[in-house]
Amino acid sequence: MTVAVESPEETGTDAPGPPPRTARRPGRPLVMAAILVLWLLLFAVLRGRHTLSLAAADLTDLHRWFNDVNDSIGADRNSDPLFLYFFNEIRLVVDTLVTFVQELISQSGAGRPVPQIGWLGVVGLAGYVSWAVGHWKVALLAVAGFTFLGLQGLWQESMDTLALTLSAVLVALLLAIPLGVWAGLSDRVHRIVTPFLDFMQTMPTFVYLAPLTLFFLIGPASATIATLIYAAPPAIRITAHAIRSVPTTTVEAADSLGATQRQTLTKVLLPMSARTVVMGVNQTIMAALAMVTVAALIDAPGLGKTVVQALQSLDVGTAFNAGLAIVVMAIVLDRVTTAAGARQEAARHAHGRTAAWRRPLLGAGAAVTAVLVYLSHTYVWAAEFPGEGGVGSAISRGADTVTTWAQDHLSGLTNAFRDALTTGLLNPFQTLLTDSPWWLVGAALIALGAVLGGWSAGLTTAVCVGLLVGTGLWSDSMTTLASTVVATVLVMVLGIGLGVWMGRSALVDRLLRPTLDAAQVLPPFVYLVPFLALFGATRFTAIVAAVVYAAPVAVKIVADGVRNVPAATVEAATSAGCTTWQIVTKVQLPMARSALTLATNQGLIYVLSMVVVGGLVGAGALGYDVVAGFSQGQLYGKGLAAGLAIVLLGVMFDRITQAAARRTSA
């Protein structure tokens, strides 16, 4: 029997059918791959055209204009009212403060052949202050550390560095803490200052130097001003965060009891945020010490100048000895301020009560310290550090011996590693950037920025690309970009490998985190010295130093991201039979994508800062342009333009990665 089936058209009813297909938009990885393939195809056709290359001695109209501005300012410095009553006055005040602190602890003055407080008094003060704000262990560390600086034969250089650091930190905190409190209390102020702080913290240390010498000349005053500007943002940001983190219920309770705004601030907000504020002071001191050493390029006295001169002459032994002194000073200052923060927290929980024996001991310690200061002020033996710095000479000779041995016995291995990475990764990528037409590279960067971070990031990239072309240093910028990207890739390989290991193992975290914390307090100059010994003065030295400098922050961010993946999710994957590799690659890393993006952001900023510092050891490109601008007057304008190009690269990196992080976490 045949059954007739009526079609939907005949019955007038709608028959169910398959759901309509919707066109899927290609994913971001696919779009990025398409952009790169198109770039490579066009590169093969257009290679070597419109590259905007510029010889080392050549200048553009912008560079000559910067030189003319510099000459004009120099001619009008003592007649222009803006300089007479503003810039010169600021320079005079800062110079007076720096000179006072230097004459106090490092240099002779006021008819004396020695400072007002000699080495014995400084060591006594360091130990007493460390004990008063911390505990006896950190006091012993401070005494031992400062004594070691003298044994190295670097007492005056160390005290010059300390004098500039203390001067800059004092002024920075006088400005930063009130501004941080204001930003913590006012949402409007917080919204206004946050973009400026973000911008300032993305700028590498080199960038601050050239513009300030334009207004304040080369010397300790410019170095101190650059240092306090660079060191202030952490204190502002952390102080504001501390104030805003105080529970609202506590503030409401104070208001209900009739407390005024001033009483709420002084009796509630500041005491409850004291430890976090001290942490901001710690970060300010570390930033200031890092900047003071770099500021040796504009004639800042101290350990930084010794390191710079040694690096420029490839004297590894002297550079290592001075670098070790910087490390010792950084560790002492970091441990003292960290202990001060811990004591603030303990005092808050103890409601201000202190042990009965502590006050008498502090009084006795103050008396002993006063005697030591008097002796160092009065007697030459207590003012000038005894000895000829034999320990430092031995350290320098040892470093030179190790360097010679490494070059004789490890050169095959280190050269093979350097050549493999340079030939296999760095050179091809740098060639792609520098030999492609500038407009092709710019279009590719804009497209990648838009894909990763959205249209706002793409627009920011377009502006940065246009301004980079305007600096006249496109080719050098692309060389720096190539080194930065390659180093960041290596940083993320280390960051993901060690970060996942730390995030999955509490034991590994406890073992590695102290080392990573210690590595983050070291100024960038210090990282160049050992790799200069291993790889010589090449751009590869700067890249490896940048990787080691940036890796700690990336590792810790990735570790925290992996650790924050819900344990229930990991247990569910384990019960489903997933292997460890599957759990890491399919569960933990995908759920920690925002942490990975943040780690990339911070890694890029740290790497860029270190790559440009590498201009001192043969990295070339923008870092060399900045250094040459300080040392050769006719290249000052070019160095200033290089600083602007570094800022543009930093802004471009930061905006793209931050926008990508927001899109990932959304």
Side-chain angles (χ1 to χ4, degrees):
M1 181 178 62
T2 304
V3 178
V5 179
E6 296 179 344
S7 67
E9 289 79 9
E10 294 172 339
T11 61
T13 60
D14 293 331
R21 293 183 179 180
T22 57
R24 293 185 60 187
R25 298 178 63 182
R28 276 183 284 176
L30 184 60
V31 175
M32 291 173 60
I35 293 170
L36 293 175
V37 169
L38 180 60
W39 183 3
L40 290 172
L41 292 175
L42 292 175
F43 167 74
V45 177
L46 302 171
R47 180 174 182 176
R49 303 179 188 178
H50 309 134
T51 57
L52 302 182
S53 59
L54 187 71
D58 290 345
L59 302 177
T60 67
D61 291 339
L62 177 66
H63 306 159
R64 296 187 186 92
W65 183 76
F66 279 151
N67 284 337
D68 292 340
V69 170
N70 185 37
D71 295 339
S72 176
I73 288 176
D76 297 339
R77 191 176 301 277
N78 295 320
S79 58
D80 191 298
L82 183 62
F83 280 89
L84 282 176
Y85 303 110
F86 185 69
F87 290 118
N88 289 356
E89 290 298 318
I90 293 176
R91 185 174 184 273
L92 178 62
V93 171
V94 174
D95 201 31
T96 301
L97 173 63
V98 172
T99 301
F100 170 76
V101 180
Q102 283 182 313
E103 291 182 355
L104 194 64
I105 62 174
S106 66
Q107 297 185 7
S108 58
R112 289 172 55 85
V114 292
Q116 296 293 329
I117 303 176
W119 75 270
L120 190 62
V122 172
V123 170
L125 281 170
Y128 178 73
V129 171
S130 302
W131 179 38
V133 302
H135 48 74
W136 65 271
K137 292 181 181 178
V138 77
L140 286 180
L141 175 66
V143 170
F146 274 69
T147 303
F148 183 71
L149 298 175
L151 295 174
Q152 287 182 274
L154 296 170
W155 180 259
Q156 180 170 335
E157 292 88 342
S158 301
M159 292 304 101
D160 280 330
T161 297
L162 183 63
L164 263 65
T165 302
L166 292 179
S167 301
V169 168
L170 175 63
V171 179
L173 293 180
L174 287 176
L175 299 173
I177 290 182
L179 183 56
V181 171
W182 191 15
L185 296 174
S186 170
D187 291 338
R188 176 179 297 177
V189 174
H190 188 262
R191 286 194 300 271
I192 292 173
V193 302
T194 297
F196 290 99
L197 299 179
D198 291 340
F199 177 72
M200 292 172 70
Q201 290 193 285
T202 62
M203 293 171 61
T205 51
F206 262 28
V207 174
Y208 289 85
L209 302 181
L212 288 170
T213 59
L214 191 64
F215 298 103
F216 300 106
L217 296 176
I218 289 177
S222 290
T224 305
I225 294 169
T227 301
L228 70 90
I229 293 174
Y230 180 74
I236 298 172
R237 188 187 296 276
I238 294 175
T239 301
H241 171 73
I243 296 296
R244 299 173 77 86
S245 298
V246 175
T248 55
T249 53
T250 305
V251 178
E252 291 169 357
D255 291 339
S256 66
L257 293 174
T260 63
Q261 284 188 333
R262 182 173 182 178
Q263 289 172 327
T264 301
L265 176 63
T266 57
K267 302 296 185 181
V268 179
L269 293 174
L270 288 179
M272 293 191 69
S273 57
R275 181 176 185 179
T276 306
V277 172
V278 173
M279 185 175 70
V281 174
N282 170 279
Q283 294 300 301
T284 298
I285 292 174
M286 293 298 101
L289 181 59
M291 188 66 183
V292 162
T293 56
V294 174
L297 292 169
I298 56 173
D299 203 30
L303 295 168
K305 178 176 286 189
T306 304
V307 174
V308 169
Q309 292 172 347
L311 290 176
Q312 291 175 335
S313 61
L314 303 183
D315 185 353
V316 176
T318 301
F320 182 83
N321 188 43
L324 181 60
I326 296 172
V327 171
V328 170
M329 184 173 293
I331 291 174
V332 169
L333 294 177
D334 178 63
R335 292 299 94 194
V336 169
T337 49
T338 301
R343 175 161 288 280
Q344 284 287 340
E345 184 69 11
R348 188 171 71 86
H349 288 301
H351 303 291
R353 295 189 301 271
T354 58
W357 52 267
R358 183 169 173 81
R359 292 184 185 277
L361 283 181
L362 284 174
V368 172
T369 303
V371 171
L372 296 179
V373 170
Y374 170 77
L375 292 174
S376 70
H377 178 76
T378 307
Y379 299 100
V380 174
W381 63 267
E384 295 181 346
F385 200 92
E388 301 294 330
V391 172
S393 300
I395 291 172
S396 297
R397 290 194 301 271
D400 286 332
T401 301
V402 171
T403 300
T404 303
W405 180 89
Q407 292 172 346
D408 291 342
H409 295 82
L410 301 179
S411 59
L413 180 62
T414 57
N415 290 345
F417 176 62
R418 179 192 65 198
D419 294 342
L421 189 61
T422 302
T423 305
L425 185 59
L426 180 59
N427 283 348
F429 187 50
Q430 181 172 315
T431 300
L432 178 65
L433 288 171
T434 56
D435 287 3
S436 293
W438 69 268
W439 51 265
L440 176 59
V441 180
L445 291 176
I446 294 167
L448 291 172
V451 171
L452 286 171
W455 290 112
S456 61
L459 179 60
T460 301
T461 305
V463 172
C464 290
V465 166
L467 293 176
L468 280 172
V469 173
T471 64
L473 297 170
W474 177 262
S475 183
D476 284 352
S477 299
M478 293 303 99
T479 301
T480 298
L481 176 61
S483 298
T484 302
V485 172
V486 169
T488 303
V489 170
L490 298 177
V491 166
M492 291 309 299
V493 170
L494 279 176
I496 293 174
L498 293 178
V500 169
W501 194 18
M502 287 176 60
R504 290 177 55 83
S505 171
L507 175 61
V508 174
D509 188 275
R510 286 196 299 270
L511 292 175
L512 290 184
R513 191 168 291 269
T515 302
L516 299 177
D517 291 341
Q520 282 192 267
V521 306
L522 304 183
F525 269 13
V526 174
Y527 290 87
L528 291 174
V529 178
F531 299 110
L532 177 65
L534 285 175
F535 300 107
T538 66
R539 58 180 176 166
F540 187 76
T541 299
I543 290 175
V544 177
V547 171
V548 177
Y549 177 62
V553 65
V555 170
K556 292 201 294 186
I557 292 173
V558 173
D560 292 340
V562 171
R563 188 179 301 106
N564 290 333
V565 173
T569 305
V570 178
E571 291 170 0
T574 304
S575 63
C578 293
T579 63
T580 300
W581 176 256
Q582 290 173 326
I583 292 173
V584 171
T585 57
K586 303 296 185 182
V587 178
Q588 290 178 313
L589 286 180
M591 295 188 70
R593 280 180 298 179
S594 60
L596 295 178
T597 311
L598 178 60
T600 304
N601 172 275
Q602 293 300 296
L604 275 168
I605 299 305
Y606 274 66
V607 163
L608 178 62
S609 176
M610 192 67 196
V611 164
V612 295
V613 171
L616 292 169
V617 292
L622 295 177
Y624 171 80
D625 292 334
V626 174
V627 175
F630 292 132
S631 57
Q632 303 175 45
Q634 72 274 17
L635 296 179
Y636 178 84
K638 193 173 186 178
L640 197 60
L644 176 60
I646 293 168
V647 172
L648 294 171
L649 287 176
V651 170
M652 185 170 66
F653 289 148
D654 183 61
R655 292 302 98 184
I656 292 174
T657 50
Q658 282 204 19
R662 287 192 294 269
R663 295 184 72 181
T664 301
S665 59

